[in-house]
Amino acid sequence: MVMMSTGAIRPDQVIAEATMPVLSVSGLTTSFLRERDWFPVVRNVSFDIAPRETVAIVGESGSGKSVTALSIMRLIPKESGRSDGRIMLCGRDLLTLPEASMKDIRGNDVAMIFQEPMTSLNPVLTIGFQIAETLIQHRGLSRAAAEAETVRLLDRVRIPAAKSRFHEHPHRFSGGMRQRVMIAMALACKPKLLIADEPTTALDVTIQAQVLELLKELQREEGMSILFITHDMGVVAEIADRTVVMYGGQAVELEATSRIFAAPSHPYTSALLAAVPRLGSMDGRPRPMRFPVVDKVTGTSDEPVETADTVSTAARPLLEVSNLTTRFPIRSGLFGKLSGRVHAVENVSFTLRAGETLALVGESGCGKSTTGRSILKLTEPDAGTVLIDGQDVLAMSGRTLRDFRKHMQIVFQDPFASLNPRMSVGAAIAAPLLANGLATASQARDTVADLLVRVGLTADMAARFPHEFSGGQRQRICIARALALGPKLIVADEAVSALDVSVKAQVVNLMLDLQASMGLAYLFISHDIAVVERMSHRVAVMYLGEIVEIGPRASVFGNPQHPYTKKLMAAVPVPDPTRRATKREVAYDEIRNPVRAPDYQPPTRQHREISPGHVVQVWGEEWSG
Amino acid sequence: MARYVLNRLAQAVMLLVIVSAIGFAILHLAPGGPLSQFAASAQMTQEDLDRVTRQLGLDRPLPIQYLDWLGRMLKGDWGKSYRDGDAVLSVISSHLGATLELMVTATIIAVLLGFWIGITGALRRYSLFDSLATVGAMIALSIPTFWFGLVTIYVFSVTLGWLPAGNRETVGDGSFLDLLHHLIAPAMVLALVETAMWGRFMRSSMLEVINQDYIRTARAKGMPDWRILTVHALRNALLPMITVAGLQFPALLGGALVAETVFTWPGMGRLFLDSIGYRDYPVVMGILMFSAIMVLIGSLIADMLYAVVDPRIRVG
C-alpha cells in the first residue's frame, strides 16, 4: 500500500523504515549510589523492540527488570542513580536528551503502566481528570475536546457507562478497572511504546486474563510496541514475541519466546522454567510431586518423583469441618444499625486426613482465608463445628484453647510482615515453646537448631535477625516457627504466593518433604491454581463464601464440573507459547462480592457426586449463558 | 451528612455540660470570691456583705448555683458581670475583635511561612535549608511564648524603639497604620510556635506524598514539575493539615492568652485573666463556654471539610 501511493520511495527504504526498531537499548548500565559507591543494578543490557512487537523482560525480584524499565523512562532519581549506555527511541538517544525534552516524550511517545493499580492513581483527582490531563499536556487539546477523547478511551478499555464515570474518583473502581483506567491513560497519546511493569501481578487470575486480552487487542488496533515486565512465565508465553531473561542485572538470554520455552540455552533459564508450575502437567498423577531442582550454573536437573503416599488411612480424619459459617456485620448510621453482612464463609464442610493436603482455591474475597482463620478460631465463626482429632475446637476457650493450639498452626503470606524485626529468629522460633512452658531455655535452643536444619537453614542462623534473610529464607523460618510445637495441622494461607518462582518451588518441595517425614496435614489456601495442582491431594474451589466443588485433585482439575471452576482454570495463563490462544473469549465482568442485606437467607444448596469424593454444588440460573 | 452533623452537635452539647461543670467546680474551689474586693474596703459592713452575697445568690449550695447557671445558659441568658453589671455576651463581644485580629494575623503568617518551609524542606530533604529549618523549629517549639514576648519587647521596643511595647493602638490615633504597627510584635510572637508546628507537619505530610506511586504515575505521564507539585502532591499533602488545623485551634487560643497578657492586648485573654482576678464568675464561665464552643465548632468544621475535600471519606 505504501509503495502504491508513494512511488518515490525505494523498496529498500520502506524495508529500512519497517524494520527500524522503535526502541534500541545497547549497553545499558544503571547504578545506584550506596554509601558513596556506585553499585550496578543493571549491567550491560542490550535489546531491540521492533514496531508492533511485544518483548518481555522476565526475571525474579532484584534481577533489575523494573530498573531497566525506569531507566528507559529516565525515572531513576538523579541524586542516587545514573544510567550509561544508549537508549534509542525512534533514532533519538534518550540518555542525552535534556530533561525538558524528556518530559515531552514521557506519556506521549513512551507510556508506562505499573504493578499496583490501587496506589498508582491519585486518590483526590477524578479518573477523567487524570486521563484528560495527559491529552491537554501533550496534544494541546482544549478541555472539552480532551473530555470527549477521554470518554472514548474509557469506552475502549471497557469501562461501562464511561461518560458518567468520568467524574468519579479512583476508590470507586475495582483493581482490575483501575488497571484499565491506567491503560487508558497510557494510551491517551497513542504512544509508540508501552512499558508495562508487572501490570497483572496484583490482579486475580480472571481479571489478569481480561487485562492481557485487552492489551493484545489494543496493540493490534494501535500498532504500538510493548515492553512487558513480569516474573510470570505463563504471562510471558501468553503475550511476548521475544523474551529477555534477566538474572543478577544481566540479560542472560534474548530469544524468540517459543525458542526460550522449547530450547533454553542458559542454565538459569532452564532452572526458571523447571520451577514454573504448569496447569495440566499433573494429569494422571493422583499424588503431589516435587518440583525439579535445576542447578542455576550447570543447568542439570534432578528427576522429580511423585511423593510417597502420605495420607493416613485411619478411620477418622484429622480435621472435620461441618456447616462452618462466618459473617461480618456491616454497621452504619447514628446507632451503628446493621445495614448488611459480609457472608465470608457460608455453610462450608470438608474433612482433611493426617498427611493430606487440601487446597482451598478461589479469588479475592471468596472467603478462603476467613475459612482458615475460623478453623483456628482466630476469627469467631457464627455457626458450625470444627473437630480436630474428634475434639471440638470452637467449643474451647481460654486455657484449653491455648493448650490445644499446639496441634494447629498457621503460616502467613507475607514473610516480611509476619516476623518481629526486633526478635532474633531463634527467639521467634523458641517463643511458642517457652510461652507454653513446653521446654526449658536450653531445650528450646536445641529444638530451634534442629528445626532450622529441618527447613534447610543452618543452626548458627538462630542468632540473626529477620532483615538479614531473603524472602524465601524468612518463609522457611515462619514454617520452622509453626513446626516448633509439633502440630498436626498447618494452615498455609497463601504461604508461597509472595515468593519468586524458583524460591516458591523450593518452599513447596520443603513442605512436601516435611509432610512425608512428619505426617503433617496442610490446609493450603492459595489463588495459584498451578501450584495447587502440584502440591495437593484434594482441592476445594470457593466462590462467594461457599465451596462449589470439592474432590480429589486429579478428578476436579481433570474433569471440572462447576462453571466457576472451569472459568478459573481457563483464565490461568499456560506457560507454553505453542498453546497460546489466538483470541480468547473474555467476559469483562467483575468479581462479585458477598455483601448481603441483613435479612438475606442463603439458598439451600443441592450437591451432586461426580465420582467417589468429587462433589459439586448444583448451580442455578446465574451461571447459564 | 445532616444526620452526621446532628449527631456531632448532640455530642458537643454533652461535652459542653461536662466542661462547664468542671470549670464551675474549679472556679469555686479557688480561695477568695467576688466579695473579697469589697471586704478590703473599710466602708463595707458585714451586713452589706451578706446582703450582696444574697443578691448574687452565692449563699446557696454550689450544686444549686450550678444548676441555676446551667438553666439560664440553656435559655440563652449568659448572665451579667459582677464588676459593672454589663451583659456577659456584650463584654465578650467587645473584646472578641482584638483577639480575632491577633489570631487571624498570626495564623496567616504561620500557615504561609510554615507551608513554604515544610514544602521546601521536603523537596530538598537533608539540604542545608532543611537542616536549618529543623533546628529552627526545635528552638521555636522549646521557647516559652511569654519569654519570647518579653525578649521581643526588650529588643524592638526598649532597645531599638521600633515597635510599641503594648496595647492595640496609640490613644488618639487608631489609624490603620497605627493598628498595624501595634499588631506586628504580638502577632509575630504568637505566630512563632505556630509556624514551627505547621512547618513540621507539612514537611512530613509532603514527604509521604512525594514517595507515593501516583506521583511516579504523574511523572511517567510527562507532567511538568510545578503541576506535579501543585495538582498532584499538594492536594494530597494538605488533607492531613485540616485535622492539624482542628487540633491547633485550642493551642492558638492558649497562645493568644499569653501573648495578650505580655503585650497588654485588650482581647479575650486579658479579659479572662482580669475576670479571674476579680472572681467575676459569670464572665469567666462565659469565656470558658465561648472558647469551648469555638473549639468544638472548629473541629466539627475540620471533620466536615475533610469529607468534602477527600473523596474517599463520605460521612453518613
Side-chain angles (χ1 to χ4, degrees), chain A residues 358-431:
Chain A
L358 171 68
L360 279 183
V361 299
E363 298 183 281
S364 322
C366 75
K368 53 190 193 301
S369 286
T370 310
T371 305
R373 285 161 185 269
S374 301
I375 288 169
L376 299 188
K377 223 184 165 189
L378 293 173
T379 297
E380 196 68 42
D382 293 71
T385 53
V386 174
L387 304 182
I388 292 181
D389 266 344
Q391 288 179 274
D392 190 350
V393 177
L394 300 185
M396 293 179 196
S397 61
R399 185 78 224 171
T400 337
L401 179 64
R402 269 181 56 200
D403 281 344
F404 198 76
R405 286 203 184 281
K406 63 171 177 274
H407 300 305
M408 45 188 202
Q409 292 288 309
I410 187 164
V411 177
F412 296 101
Q413 171 169 7
D414 188 347
F416 290 86
S418 47
L419 284 171
N420 186 338
R422 283 172 200 83
M423 217 170 174
S424 75
V425 304
I429 298 170

Side-chain angles (χ1 to χ4, degrees), chain A residues 426-478:
Chain A
I429 298 170
L433 286 169
L434 300 174
N436 285 292
L438 293 175
T440 65
S442 73
Q443 283 170 328
R445 247 195 317 277
D446 294 342
T447 314
V448 167
D450 177 51
L451 285 167
L452 282 172
V453 174
R454 259 175 193 267
V455 297
L457 302 171
T458 58
D460 61 293
M461 289 177 173
R464 295 203 212 154
F465 286 84
H467 70 268
E468 299 174 66
F469 295 91
S470 67
Q473 286 175 319
R474 286 186 210 208
Q475 202 59 307
R476 287 168 188 270
I477 292 164
C478 291

Side-chain angles (χ1 to χ4, degrees), chain B residues 149-181:
Chain B
L150 291 176
V151 171
T152 308
I153 291 173
Y154 178 75
V155 174
F156 292 98
S157 310
V158 179
T159 312
L160 295 172
W162 291 352
L163 297 171
N167 290 321
R168 197 181 174 193
E169 58 188 3
T170 315
V171 180
D173 189 337
S175 65
F176 178 72
L177 275 181
D178 182 53
L179 286 172
L180 203 61
H181 197 210

Side-chain angles (χ1 to χ4, degrees), chain A residues 147-161:
Chain A
E147 280 197 23
E149 175 66 11
T150 301
V151 171
R152 201 186 65 78
L153 283 162
L154 288 173
D155 258 336
R156 292 203 57 191
V157 296
R158 318 278 188 278
I159 302 280

Side-chain angles (χ1 to χ4, degrees), chain A residues 73 75 103 106-107 114 116 119-125 129-130 133-134 137-138 169 171 182 185 334, chain B residues 3 7 213-214 216-217 219-225 227 231-233 235-236 239 309-312 316:
Chain A
M73 291 294 275
L75 286 175
K103 280 201 168 60
R106 279 187 215 126
F114 300 94
E116 274 303 329
T119 54
S120 291
L121 288 166
N122 195 324
V124 301
L125 304 173
F129 178 92
Q130 295 185 59
E133 181 183 52
T134 319
Q137 179 70 26
H138 293 300
H169 290 90
H171 70 279
M182 282 295 291
M185 190 188 291
L334 187 56
Chain B
R3 201 166 160 183
N7 194 9
D213 287 350
Y214 53 79
R216 185 182 59 184
T217 305
R219 292 181 63 208
K221 281 197 291 188
M223 290 295 129
D225 290 341
R227 199 178 160 88
V231 177
H232 290 267
R235 275 168 94 149
N236 282 286
L239 287 180
V309 184
D310 189 340
R312 285 163 296 185

Side-chain angles (χ1 to χ4, degrees), chain A residues 596-623:
Chain A
R596 310 275 188 224
D599 56 354
Y600 175 79
Q601 285 298 326
T604 324
R605 302 291 193 184
Q606 306 292 322
H607 293 89
R608 209 147 46 85
E609 185 157 26
I610 305 299
S611 57
H614 183 176
V615 178
V616 64
Q617 188 185 74
V618 177
W619 60 92
E621 290 289 301
E622 73 270 27
W623 289 103

